[in-house]
Short mmCIF file of all heavy atoms in Angstrom, two decimals:
data_model
loop_
_atom_site.label_atom_id
_atom_site.label_comp_id
_atom_site.label_asym_id
_atom_site.label_seq_id
_atom_site.Cartn_x
_atom_site.Cartn_y
_atom_site.Cartn_z
N HIS B 220 31.05 40.94 -20.28
CA HIS B 220 30.88 39.49 -20.38
C HIS B 220 30.59 38.96 -18.97
O HIS B 220 31.52 38.73 -18.21
CB HIS B 220 32.11 38.88 -21.03
CG HIS B 220 32.37 39.42 -22.39
ND1 HIS B 220 31.66 38.99 -23.48
CD2 HIS B 220 33.21 40.39 -22.85
CE1 HIS B 220 32.06 39.65 -24.58
NE2 HIS B 220 32.99 40.51 -24.21
N PHE B 221 29.31 38.81 -18.67
CA PHE B 221 28.91 38.48 -17.31
C PHE B 221 29.22 37.02 -16.93
O PHE B 221 29.34 36.71 -15.76
CB PHE B 221 27.40 38.71 -17.12
CG PHE B 221 27.00 40.17 -17.11
CD1 PHE B 221 26.33 40.72 -18.19
CD2 PHE B 221 27.25 40.96 -16.00
CE1 PHE B 221 25.94 42.05 -18.19
CE2 PHE B 221 26.84 42.28 -15.98
CZ PHE B 221 26.19 42.83 -17.07
N GLY B 222 29.32 36.17 -17.93
CA GLY B 222 29.47 34.75 -17.63
C GLY B 222 28.11 34.12 -17.37
O GLY B 222 27.08 34.81 -17.34
N VAL B 223 28.11 32.79 -17.18
CA VAL B 223 26.85 32.07 -16.98
C VAL B 223 26.41 32.26 -15.53
O VAL B 223 26.59 31.38 -14.70
CB VAL B 223 27.01 30.56 -17.29
CG1 VAL B 223 25.67 29.86 -17.25
CG2 VAL B 223 27.65 30.35 -18.66
N ARG B 224 25.89 33.43 -15.20
CA ARG B 224 25.49 33.73 -13.84
C ARG B 224 24.45 34.84 -13.84
O ARG B 224 24.74 36.00 -13.59
CB ARG B 224 26.71 34.08 -12.97
CG ARG B 224 27.70 35.08 -13.55
CD ARG B 224 28.83 35.35 -12.58
NE ARG B 224 29.82 34.30 -12.57
CZ ARG B 224 30.85 34.23 -13.41
NH1 ARG B 224 31.05 35.14 -14.33
NH2 ARG B 224 31.71 33.24 -13.32
N GLU B 225 23.21 34.43 -14.10
CA GLU B 225 22.11 35.39 -14.24
C GLU B 225 21.89 36.22 -12.97
O GLU B 225 21.65 37.41 -13.06
CB GLU B 225 20.80 34.67 -14.62
CG GLU B 225 20.62 34.42 -16.12
CD GLU B 225 21.42 33.26 -16.66
OE1 GLU B 225 22.09 32.55 -15.87
OE2 GLU B 225 21.37 33.02 -17.88
N HIS B 226 21.93 35.55 -11.80
CA HIS B 226 21.65 36.28 -10.57
C HIS B 226 22.68 37.41 -10.39
O HIS B 226 22.32 38.56 -10.15
CB HIS B 226 21.68 35.31 -9.38
CG HIS B 226 21.20 35.89 -8.10
ND1 HIS B 226 20.51 35.18 -7.17
CD2 HIS B 226 21.30 37.14 -7.57
CE1 HIS B 226 20.20 35.92 -6.14
NE2 HIS B 226 20.67 37.13 -6.35
N ALA B 227 23.97 37.06 -10.53
CA ALA B 227 25.01 38.09 -10.38
C ALA B 227 24.88 39.14 -11.46
O ALA B 227 25.08 40.35 -11.19
CB ALA B 227 26.40 37.42 -10.43
N MET B 228 24.53 38.74 -12.69
CA MET B 228 24.37 39.72 -13.77
C MET B 228 23.32 40.77 -13.39
O MET B 228 23.56 41.99 -13.54
CB MET B 228 23.94 38.99 -15.05
CG MET B 228 23.60 39.89 -16.22
SD MET B 228 23.35 38.96 -17.76
CE MET B 228 21.77 38.18 -17.44
N GLY B 229 22.20 40.32 -12.87
CA GLY B 229 21.15 41.24 -12.44
C GLY B 229 21.63 42.15 -11.32
O GLY B 229 21.37 43.36 -11.31
N ALA B 230 22.37 41.56 -10.37
CA ALA B 230 22.84 42.32 -9.23
C ALA B 230 23.86 43.38 -9.68
O ALA B 230 23.86 44.50 -9.18
CB ALA B 230 23.45 41.39 -8.19
N ILE B 231 24.72 43.02 -10.63
CA ILE B 231 25.72 43.97 -11.15
C ILE B 231 25.00 45.13 -11.85
O ILE B 231 25.35 46.29 -11.67
CB ILE B 231 26.68 43.25 -12.12
CG1 ILE B 231 27.57 42.26 -11.34
CG2 ILE B 231 27.54 44.24 -12.89
CD1 ILE B 231 28.34 41.26 -12.22
N ALA B 232 23.95 44.81 -12.62
CA ALA B 232 23.20 45.86 -13.30
C ALA B 232 22.56 46.81 -12.29
O ALA B 232 22.52 48.03 -12.50
CB ALA B 232 22.13 45.23 -14.22
#
Side-chain angles (χ1 to χ4, degrees):
Chain B
H220 300 282
F221 290 106
V223 187
R224 47 179 77 86
E225 274 78 4
H226 190 145
M228 175 171 72
I231 292 167

